[in-house]
Amino acid sequence: MKHSIKKSPKNYFKNFLTFVVTFSIFSLCLISCNSNNSEQKDVEIDPKNKFPTADSDNGGLVLPENFGAIALTDSIGRARHIAVNDQGNIYVKMRRLADDKGVLHLKDSTGNGKLDISSGFGDFGGTGIAIYKNYLYCTSDSAIYRFKMENGIVKPNTSPDTIVKGFIVQRAHASKPITFDGNGNMYVTIGAPSNACQESPRSPGSKGFDPCSQLDLQAGIWQFKAEKLNQTLQEDGHRYATGIRNAVAIDWNFNDNSLYALQHGRDQLSHLFPEYYTQEQSAELPAEEFLKIADGDDFGWPYCYYDQFQEKKVLAPEYGGDGKKVERCEGITLPILAFPGHWAPNDLLFYKGDQFPEKYKNGAFIAFHGSWNRAPFPQQGYFVAFVSFKDGKPQKDWERFAEGFTQVDSVMSTNDAKFRPVGLAEGSDGSLYISDSAKGKIWRVIYYGEKLALKD
Amino acid sequence: MRKGLLVLIVGVLFSAWSCQSKKEETAKKEEPVVKEKPKPAAPTAEDVVAAGEKVYNTYCMVCHQKDGNGVVGMNPPLTQTKYVLGDKAGLIKIVLGGLSGDIEVKGEMYSNVMPPHNFLNDKQVSDVLTFVRSSFGNDADAVSKEEVAIVRAEQETK
């Protein structure tokens, strides 16, 4: 054995190189496979990153290229807003109690895309939920509470602090969505208790109360101290903005330190005033308004509404309007962007992360719950939109970011829509969470493009 | 080196194959979702029901929706509810006088306002209720305009 083959270091290197090349090509193929979202449901974590692969059908959603979604859960009940913390704990506010719980805690503790923890607490239904300084803030329709979190978790049997109590009990637009600024303040929407402040609610031809006393303690956004206990609307609340019929979608934009919200515009123009409006006009009018809000702003409800075709605030028919007259609506603050009528914007989220491509950063995601007020025409909305911002201004060419919620081609009656997006939250890793109010499905949306492959 | 090349080729082939098979799986799963539309029950008297449907589409559909299922948490359904199928005088009263306050319909609480519809004449009310009681899976007898007139008279004297 004189010529025993002794591999030279050079040979070792060659073999090693071959191995590396082989492995990279192999994994590249797998990644390209994933970006087509054709991975099977049995998720494995790609060693190159911490993101689990998307569902083969993206949980039923239709997303832009290279995005994928995982359905985290299918049917937890009537979900409303959601919050996600740095440890990946997902908290869902339930409209009504689900198994006697008003807040559900869900978690994918292994990061494989599947939920393996689920529990609940809180004995009240509602809409608002947000994490602020190690507390989970949750709202009922009449109060705001917070639960202390330890290591990102609300321990069993934690009794909540009351932050604000005694909101007026109202039957319509009762949800209390919340958001926080960086300055120790909390903002809460108090919706109008009516459609248009009519003397006889929702009755054809009925005039509006003038002045509308509903504006005194409702139909606006109020500011409270974020951490002061037992506040009341009358004693501690500051009316930050008024003339907003109902804004379920509110968020603080830390980029320009301003409050933003989307208003649910009034219903039934042609039904209540057929002499001034056709059914076609009534289906599109008024606009759903995207508002940038400064302290003291008045957006005109119930006297005025925004007509996106005439691009101005016009006088409501309950106050003598005919679809064209402006009168007292001259000078009322305009929206920064207008969407077609009745789409029901129910959540707003300014995206802070880097997981999605550059253009999404600091832009706004909007969850449109979908209309009920467009009959006899098909209902619309039921998707998540994205509005990019340039130099602090929303761009008009907004995109339909996530669609497919309804699972039908056309929604004639609201009930036709299988799912309705209602809540949005951003994970600390930049993935986007979307909740549905119809069945309680929750999706996690992840970008699987080039940027992700580079991330290691 | 040659062995390495072989591994490389096999690797590429394998991943291509796994991609392909996964794509096929996805393709199979994409079946269209078909929605069943509720079929209206056989009309009692066709023209009454047709007239009632017209009233419904003009005055009720906006809230109770085309399929009569209402809007969850806002406007209640008209599908086999105790109000629709129950006592006719009570039903007529709801349409003429409207309804507000908390009510439970099919296990769900509603608390919005339904405006009075006393601007509709007796025939319009009986037509629309006859339509509602024989549509959306409902199968109850017709409402006559005489029955409406009696309830209207009672409400007006109150």
Side-chain angles (χ1 to χ4, degrees), chain A residues 243-289:
Chain A
I244 301 175
R245 182 174 171 274
N246 191 25
V248 189
I250 64 173
D251 196 19
W252 187 264
N253 183 350
F254 286 93
N255 224 26
D256 62 1
N257 272 316
S258 299
L259 181 67
Y260 287 78
L262 285 106
Q263 171 177 247
H264 282 212
R266 47 97 31 92
D267 303 324
Q268 289 178 282
L269 282 169
S270 71
H271 190 242
L272 301 176
F273 293 90
E275 62 273 40
Y276 301 129
Y277 301 91
T278 63
Q279 289 184 324
E280 284 85 351
Q281 286 174 315
S282 195
E284 297 293 328
L285 291 173
E288 302 289 56
E289 302 181 37

Side-chain angles (χ1 to χ4, degrees), chain A residues 43-64:
Chain A
V43 280
E44 302 141 32
I45 304 174
D46 197 308
K48 286 208 133 202
N49 55 67
K50 54 190 192 302
F51 293 94
T53 44
D55 290 351
S56 56
D57 65 347
N58 287 328
L61 299 188
V62 180
L63 299 163

Side-chain angles (χ1 to χ4, degrees), chain A residues 14-15 18 21-22 25-26 29-30 32-34 36-41 56-57 78 96 170-173 200-204 267-268 271 279 371-377 379 407-408 410 412-416 418 420, chain B residues 1 4-5 7-8 11-12 14-16 18-20 22-23 25-26 29 33-35 37 57-63 65-75 100-102 108-109 111-117 119:
Chain A
K14 243 192 199 165
N15 275 353
T18 318
V21 170
T22 311
I25 293 184
F26 185 59
C29 289
L30 279 183
S32 71
C33 217
N34 290 352
N36 287 339
N37 304 318
S38 29
E39 187 66 325
Q40 76 263 47
K41 178 93 191 188
S56 56
D57 65 347
R78 303 263 169 78
R96 305 201 197 299
Q170 60 189 79
R171 301 179 188 285
H173 309 144
S200 175
R202 294 198 190 256
S203 291
D267 303 324
Q268 289 178 282
H271 190 242
Q279 289 184 324
S371 71
W372 60 272
N373 202 231
R374 290 175 49 90
F377 308 103
Q379 303 299 337
Q407 314 248 308
V408 289
S410 169
M412 285 315 295
S413 303
T414 307
N415 205 50
D416 295 344
K418 187 133 186 257
R420 304 180 70 185
Chain B
M1 186 68 212
L5 237 152
V7 172
L8 192 140
V12 170
F14 175 73
S15 16
S18 72
C19 269
Q20 191 51 39
K22 277 164 201 164
K23 268 180 203 145
E25 259 174 55
T26 328
K29 275 183 205 155
V33 183
V34 184
K35 213 213 130 265
K37 285 260 156 64
N57 289 350
T58 312
Y59 298 104
C60 321
M61 181 168 77
V62 61
C63 295
Q65 304 288 287
K66 194 179 172 67
D67 64 1
N69 273 313
V71 182
V72 178
M74 205 178 289
N75 307 317
S100 61
D102 297 337
E108 189 72 40
M109 291 304 295
S111 53
N112 260 319
V113 177
M114 166 157 159
H117 284 72
F119 54 84

